[in-house]
Amino acid sequence: MAILSLTRLRLHSWRAYPGFILWVLGSILQSLRCDGLLGLMLLRDRHNAFWTLTLWRDQQAMQTFRNQGSHGQAMRRLTQWCDESAAAHWSLDEAELQQAREPDWAALQQSLMRDGHFAPLPLASLHQREHWIPAPALGRGRLIRLR
C-alpha cells in the first residue's frame, strides 16, 4: 500500500534561509535517488512557509528516507529554523494514489490539522501551539513537481 507524506514548515526568520535551503537541496537530491519514491511536490507558501508532499511505495521506503542522509540531519535542525512544523502520513490504495498526484491542497491542510504531528518547538508560534495551519497559497510559480 502506498504512503502519502505531508509536511509544512515555517521559518521563524529570514536569517534561517541559507542553512535551511542548503539542507532542502540535499534532501531533494537524496529523495530523487531513493528507491520507492513515487512522487514529490514542493509548495512555497506565504510568510516563510513550505509544504512537501511525497508519495512512497510503502512505509519502509518513506521511513528509510526520513531517518537517513541529508533529510535525517535536517530534521534535527528544525528547532533552530522553525516556529511551525507539522507532518502526517496516510496509507493510500491505488485509486487514492492516482488522486494524490493532483492534490486538493485545502483538503490536505484540513487533514494535516486533524491528523498531523505538531513538533515541540522552542520558538513555537501561536498557530503552532493551537495546531492551526493557514490554507496554502496556490498562485503561479508556487508549486514545483519534481516527480
Side-chain angles (χ1 to χ4, degrees):
M1 186 161 269
I3 301 291
L4 183 152
S5 178
L6 181 67
T7 63
R8 181 186 178 274
L9 305 172
R10 191 177 91 111
L11 302 180
H12 66 79
S13 166
W14 286 94
R15 289 176 291 173
Y17 264 83
F20 176 75
I21 294 301
L22 286 174
W23 287 103
V24 165
L25 293 174
S27 295
I28 289 170
L29 292 173
Q30 176 191 347
S31 69
L32 293 174
R33 291 189 302 260
C34 276
D35 181 40
L37 179 70
L38 304 175
L40 170 59
M41 293 175 228
L42 307 171
L43 177 63
R44 182 181 51 85
D45 204 348
R46 301 164 296 220
H47 310 296
N48 302 334
F50 300 88
W51 297 72
T52 63
L53 184 152
T54 52
L55 302 169
W56 297 94
R57 179 187 61 229
D58 55 34
Q59 180 94 12
Q60 182 178 354
M62 189 249 329
Q63 288 176 332
T64 298
F65 164 75
R66 182 189 67 198
N67 298 332
Q68 295 180 358
S70 293
H71 188 271
Q73 293 174 33
M75 283 180 53
R76 291 188 280 284
R77 290 177 165 80
L78 290 181
T79 60
Q80 300 167 21
W81 299 326
C82 297
D83 62 0
E84 296 177 15
S85 173
H89 58 272
W90 299 275
S91 297
L92 304 176
D93 63 27
E94 189 60 36
E96 292 168 323
L97 176 60
Q98 294 312 313
Q99 287 179 324
R101 295 183 188 281
E102 294 297 329
D104 177 344
W105 289 92
L108 287 170
Q109 173 237 5
Q110 293 296 314
S111 296
L112 187 57
M113 283 194 298
R114 182 188 63 238
D115 301 330
H117 167 74
F118 288 76
L121 299 170
L123 299 173
S125 71
L126 179 61
H127 290 167
Q128 179 78 3
R129 292 190 303 269
E130 292 181 350
H131 295 189
W132 187 80
I133 298 171
L138 298 171
R140 185 173 158 214
R142 292 190 176 274
L143 181 66
I144 301 169
R145 292 175 193 269
L146 295 170
R147 184 174 289 174

mmCIF file of all heavy atoms in Angstrom, residues 65-81:
data_model
loop_
_atom_site.group_PDB
_atom_site.id
_atom_site.type_symbol
_atom_site.label_atom_id
_atom_site.label_comp_id
_atom_site.label_asym_id
_atom_site.label_seq_id
_atom_site.Cartn_x
_atom_site.Cartn_y
_atom_site.Cartn_z
ATOM 1 N N PHE A 65 14.022 6.952 3.974
ATOM 2 C CA PHE A 65 14.373 8.302 3.531
ATOM 3 C C PHE A 65 14.342 9.288 4.695
ATOM 4 O O PHE A 65 15.268 10.057 4.901
ATOM 5 C CB PHE A 65 13.411 8.784 2.440
ATOM 6 C CG PHE A 65 13.476 10.264 2.231
ATOM 7 C CD1 PHE A 65 14.548 10.835 1.558
ATOM 8 C CD2 PHE A 65 12.488 11.093 2.727
ATOM 9 C CE1 PHE A 65 14.623 12.206 1.381
ATOM 10 C CE2 PHE A 65 12.553 12.465 2.559
ATOM 11 C CZ PHE A 65 13.632 13.024 1.878
ATOM 12 N N ARG A 66 13.265 9.262 5.449
ATOM 13 C CA ARG A 66 13.045 10.244 6.519
ATOM 14 C C ARG A 66 14.169 10.250 7.543
ATOM 15 O O ARG A 66 14.590 11.311 8.004
ATOM 16 C CB ARG A 66 11.710 9.946 7.211
ATOM 17 C CG ARG A 66 11.366 10.945 8.298
ATOM 18 C CD ARG A 66 10.167 10.515 9.095
ATOM 19 N NE ARG A 66 10.490 9.316 9.852
ATOM 20 C CZ ARG A 66 9.599 8.498 10.370
ATOM 21 N NH1 ARG A 66 8.321 8.716 10.211
ATOM 22 N NH2 ARG A 66 9.974 7.437 11.059
ATOM 23 N N ASN A 67 14.676 9.093 7.894
ATOM 24 C CA ASN A 67 15.604 8.991 9.016
ATOM 25 C C ASN A 67 17.076 9.025 8.640
ATOM 26 O O ASN A 67 17.919 9.052 9.530
ATOM 27 C CB ASN A 67 15.312 7.711 9.794
ATOM 28 C CG ASN A 67 13.919 7.723 10.387
ATOM 29 O OD1 ASN A 67 13.361 8.772 10.681
ATOM 30 N ND2 ASN A 67 13.338 6.554 10.536
ATOM 31 N N GLN A 68 17.391 9.013 7.346
ATOM 32 C CA GLN A 68 18.795 8.918 6.946
ATOM 33 C C GLN A 68 19.235 10.134 6.132
ATOM 34 O O GLN A 68 18.428 10.969 5.744
ATOM 35 C CB GLN A 68 19.012 7.642 6.132
ATOM 36 C CG GLN A 68 18.792 6.390 6.935
ATOM 37 C CD GLN A 68 19.013 5.139 6.113
ATOM 38 O OE1 GLN A 68 19.305 5.185 4.933
ATOM 39 N NE2 GLN A 68 18.868 3.983 6.755
ATOM 40 N N GLY A 69 20.521 10.203 5.881
ATOM 41 C CA GLY A 69 21.098 11.175 4.965
ATOM 42 C C GLY A 69 20.801 12.624 5.325
ATOM 43 O O GLY A 69 20.622 12.975 6.485
ATOM 44 N N SER A 70 20.773 13.457 4.297
ATOM 45 C CA SER A 70 20.532 14.888 4.480
ATOM 46 C C SER A 70 19.210 15.160 5.186
ATOM 47 O O SER A 70 19.122 16.038 6.037
ATOM 48 C CB SER A 70 20.542 15.603 3.130
ATOM 49 O OG SER A 70 21.812 15.573 2.560
ATOM 50 N N HIS A 71 18.184 14.410 4.819
ATOM 51 C CA HIS A 71 16.879 14.658 5.437
ATOM 52 C C HIS A 71 16.905 14.357 6.931
ATOM 53 O O HIS A 71 16.394 15.134 7.741
ATOM 54 C CB HIS A 71 15.785 13.843 4.748
ATOM 55 C CG HIS A 71 14.426 14.217 5.216
ATOM 56 N ND1 HIS A 71 13.825 13.614 6.294
ATOM 57 C CD2 HIS A 71 13.556 15.157 4.777
ATOM 58 C CE1 HIS A 71 12.640 14.155 6.487
ATOM 59 N NE2 HIS A 71 12.451 15.091 5.584
ATOM 60 N N GLY A 72 17.489 13.245 7.300
ATOM 61 C CA GLY A 72 17.576 12.908 8.721
ATOM 62 C C GLY A 72 18.336 13.956 9.515
ATOM 63 O O GLY A 72 17.943 14.329 10.627
ATOM 64 N N GLN A 73 19.426 14.476 8.934
ATOM 65 C CA GLN A 73 20.196 15.514 9.602
ATOM 66 C C GLN A 73 19.422 16.826 9.661
ATOM 67 O O GLN A 73 19.464 17.541 10.671
ATOM 68 C CB GLN A 73 21.529 15.713 8.887
ATOM 69 C CG GLN A 73 22.455 14.513 9.013
ATOM 70 C CD GLN A 73 23.710 14.679 8.181
ATOM 71 O OE1 GLN A 73 24.200 15.775 8.019
ATOM 72 N NE2 GLN A 73 24.218 13.577 7.659
ATOM 73 N N ALA A 74 18.711 17.153 8.590
ATOM 74 C CA ALA A 74 17.934 18.396 8.571
ATOM 75 C C ALA A 74 16.821 18.370 9.613
ATOM 76 O O ALA A 74 16.548 19.394 10.258
ATOM 77 C CB ALA A 74 17.344 18.622 7.180
ATOM 78 N N MET A 75 16.200 17.218 9.808
ATOM 79 C CA MET A 75 15.122 17.121 10.794
ATOM 80 C C MET A 75 15.608 17.517 12.189
ATOM 81 O O MET A 75 14.855 18.106 12.960
ATOM 82 C CB MET A 75 14.539 15.705 10.825
ATOM 83 C CG MET A 75 13.614 15.425 9.672
ATOM 84 S SD MET A 75 12.911 13.760 9.708
ATOM 85 C CE MET A 75 12.215 13.651 11.318
ATOM 86 N N ARG A 76 16.849 17.205 12.481
ATOM 87 C CA ARG A 76 17.392 17.538 13.799
ATOM 88 C C ARG A 76 17.668 19.036 13.952
ATOM 89 O O ARG A 76 17.914 19.509 15.044
ATOM 90 C CB ARG A 76 18.652 16.715 14.056
ATOM 91 C CG ARG A 76 18.333 15.234 14.236
ATOM 92 C CD ARG A 76 19.526 14.416 14.673
ATOM 93 N NE ARG A 76 20.446 14.057 13.615
ATOM 94 C CZ ARG A 76 20.249 13.098 12.705
ATOM 95 N NH1 ARG A 76 19.116 12.422 12.713
ATOM 96 N NH2 ARG A 76 21.155 12.824 11.805
ATOM 97 N N ARG A 77 17.608 19.793 12.867
ATOM 98 C CA ARG A 77 17.844 21.235 12.916
ATOM 99 C C ARG A 77 16.555 22.060 12.896
ATOM 100 O O ARG A 77 16.602 23.285 12.979
ATOM 101 C CB ARG A 77 18.726 21.651 11.745
ATOM 102 C CG ARG A 77 20.149 21.148 11.896
ATOM 103 C CD ARG A 77 20.973 21.521 10.671
ATOM 104 N NE ARG A 77 22.387 21.376 10.912
ATOM 105 C CZ ARG A 77 23.045 20.230 10.876
ATOM 106 N NH1 ARG A 77 22.409 19.111 10.650
ATOM 107 N NH2 ARG A 77 24.345 20.190 11.100
ATOM 108 N N LEU A 78 15.422 21.403 12.765
ATOM 109 C CA LEU A 78 14.158 22.140 12.664
ATOM 110 C C LEU A 78 13.908 23.071 13.844
ATOM 111 O O LEU A 78 13.349 24.146 13.678
ATOM 112 C CB LEU A 78 12.984 21.170 12.517
ATOM 113 C CG LEU A 78 12.892 20.423 11.193
ATOM 114 C CD1 LEU A 78 11.675 19.516 11.194
ATOM 115 C CD2 LEU A 78 12.882 21.365 10.015
ATOM 116 N N THR A 79 14.313 22.660 15.008
ATOM 117 C CA THR A 79 14.074 23.510 16.184
ATOM 118 C C THR A 79 14.850 24.819 16.106
ATOM 119 O O THR A 79 14.460 25.796 16.722
ATOM 120 C CB THR A 79 14.435 22.777 17.495
ATOM 121 O OG1 THR A 79 15.815 22.414 17.449
ATOM 122 C CG2 THR A 79 13.560 21.551 17.698
ATOM 123 N N GLN A 80 15.925 24.852 15.335
ATOM 124 C CA GLN A 80 16.703 26.080 15.150
ATOM 125 C C GLN A 80 16.078 27.003 14.107
ATOM 126 O O GLN A 80 16.256 28.213 14.173
ATOM 127 C CB GLN A 80 18.129 25.750 14.709
ATOM 128 C CG GLN A 80 18.910 24.909 15.675
ATOM 129 C CD GLN A 80 20.172 24.364 15.026
ATOM 130 O OE1 GLN A 80 20.662 24.889 14.035
ATOM 131 N NE2 GLN A 80 20.704 23.291 15.600
ATOM 132 N N TRP A 81 15.397 26.420 13.120
ATOM 133 C CA TRP A 81 14.904 27.190 11.986
ATOM 134 C C TRP A 81 13.435 27.564 12.078
ATOM 135 O O TRP A 81 13.030 28.593 11.529
ATOM 136 C CB TRP A 81 15.061 26.387 10.695
ATOM 137 C CG TRP A 81 16.438 26.010 10.308
ATOM 138 C CD1 TRP A 81 17.584 26.725 10.503
ATOM 139 C CD2 TRP A 81 16.827 24.820 9.636
ATOM 140 N NE1 TRP A 81 18.654 26.059 9.983
ATOM 141 C CE2 TRP A 81 18.217 24.879 9.446
ATOM 142 C CE3 TRP A 81 16.139 23.711 9.158
ATOM 143 C CZ2 TRP A 81 18.935 23.879 8.806
ATOM 144 C CZ3 TRP A 81 16.847 22.720 8.526
ATOM 145 C CH2 TRP A 81 18.233 22.805 8.360
#
